[in-house]
Amino acid sequence: GMRAAGESTLLKNASDAAKARYIFEGTTRNATLFGVFFAGFHVFKYGLRVVSNDELGPYSETAIAAPVSVGILAYNPAWRPAVPYGCMLIGMDMFQNYMKRN
């Protein structure tokens, strides 16, 4: 990430375009990871809604889908630093469900 870019002797000697490309590639990689993670979370949550004939409710669906989704994210050691951010996305989804219902 940014720390590695600042400490890298290779990048210190690189052009500004190469530095920008390095940062952009990391940003794209992380955005893709979170997009796929959050889309998978919602697909699983919606699947629970369909299978249960909408009897679980949004909080129970989230309570089941969240550990599965975060567990998949935590399974790969390279993705583990993203777990807190994934939990934050799920927390924001829960807050949105709460605000929509009240």
Side-chain angles (χ1 to χ4, degrees):
M2 293 294 289
R3 186 178 314 137
E7 296 172 356
S8 171
T9 56
L10 180 67
L11 284 176
K12 285 182 182 177
N13 298 328
S15 69
D16 288 340
K19 291 176 188 174
R21 187 175 26 235
Y22 176 80
I23 298 298
F24 183 71
E25 287 174 1
T27 302
T28 304
R29 188 172 33 254
N30 285 331
T32 302
L33 174 66
F34 287 119
V36 170
F37 163 76
F38 205 50
F41 166 73
H42 278 284
V43 165
F44 190 63
K45 200 167 91 164
Y46 181 71
L48 288 170
R49 183 177 304 151
V50 170
V51 169
S52 72
N53 293 324
D54 205 18
E55 293 179 9
L56 286 176
Y59 303 115
S60 297
E61 293 164 1
T62 301
I64 296 168
V68 172
S69 300
V70 172
I72 291 170
L73 193 62
Y75 178 75
N76 187 333
W79 299 344
R80 286 184 191 146
V83 168
Y85 301 106
C87 291
M88 181 186 65
L89 285 172
I90 291 171
M92 290 180 354
D93 182 66
M94 290 174 64
F95 180 73
Q96 185 265 342
N97 282 333
Y98 172 77
M99 293 303 289
K100 187 168 50 173
R101 302 230 183 271
N102 294 324

